[in-house]
Amino acid sequence: MSHYFKNIWQGFSSIFEGMAITFSHLFRRPITIQYPDKLARPFKETMPERSRSFLKVDMEICTACLVCMNDCPIDCILIESEKNEETKQRSLTKFNIDMAKCMYCGLCTDPCPTGAIHFVREFEKSTTDISTLLMKFVPE
């Protein structure tokens, strides 16, 4: 019988504890920031250094090793390259990232040996045309 009343007491005490937390938040001032109107500085600057938003590729240091394309789990990176027989180096002919498919996992940035592909703080690219989210880093 005491086990029965103990369960009832635990139920009431847990409900009281939850309601106390709820009521304490009821009388606090809201901390919602009206975006983008009432910010002292651009929101992009307040983003953390390691935030994951859009990808950028530094084409000057990219070696066309295809590691980022092979490690991407959803195949949103497309790289095509040609190998120059005289210099034994690869030259990129296509480097596209479909940001509409990207899930921002970071699996393409970690294995890059030169650090050519990385996240930037830019995140505002809302659009009604999904084709504008295809980033082309090699001009055609």
Side-chain angles (χ1 to χ4, degrees), residues 14 17 26 36 46 59 66 69 71 85 90 94-95 97 108 112 116 119 128 137:
S14 66
E17 184 179 337
L26 185 65
T46 63
M59 297 307 293
L66 306 179
M69 183 177 79
D71 285 350
E85 295 299 325
R90 292 186 194 148
K94 185 185 277 190
F95 197 119
I97 300 177
C108 59
C112 183
F119 287 106
T128 57
F137 294 100

Side-chain angles (χ1 to χ4, degrees), residues 37-128:
D37 300 333
K38 301 191 178 172
L39 297 174
R41 58 187 177 150
F43 191 72
K44 184 171 32 173
E45 293 176 8
T46 63
M47 300 271 294
E49 205 47 54
R50 294 179 51 122
S51 60
R52 293 181 178 176
S53 49
F54 282 95
L55 289 167
K56 184 177 181 185
V57 181
D58 189 357
M59 297 307 293
E60 294 177 5
I61 60 174
C62 182
T63 59
C65 64
L66 306 179
V67 174
C68 57
M69 183 177 79
N70 294 332
D71 285 350
C72 182
I74 54 174
D75 298 329
C76 67
I77 300 175
L78 176 65
I79 301 173
E80 292 178 3
S81 62
E82 293 176 349
K83 190 170 185 178
N84 190 345
E85 295 299 325
E86 296 171 6
T87 62
K88 302 290 184 190
Q89 290 184 346
R90 292 186 194 148
S91 61
L92 288 170
T93 57
K94 185 185 277 190
F95 197 119
N96 296 345
I97 300 177
D98 190 358
M99 294 307 294
K101 291 192 325 186
C102 182
M103 63 181 185
Y104 308 98
C105 62
L107 292 175
C108 59
T109 61
D110 294 335
C112 183
T114 59
I117 186 167
H118 56 276
F119 287 106
V120 293
R121 290 183 178 179
E122 184 180 347
F123 64 95
E124 302 171 299
K125 288 203 179 198
S126 62
T127 180
T128 57

Side-chain angles (χ1 to χ4, degrees), residues 19-31:
M19 294 307 282
I21 293 171
T22 302
F23 284 126
S24 72
H25 286 277
L26 185 65
F27 300 109
R28 293 183 186 172
R29 290 194 57 166
I31 57 170

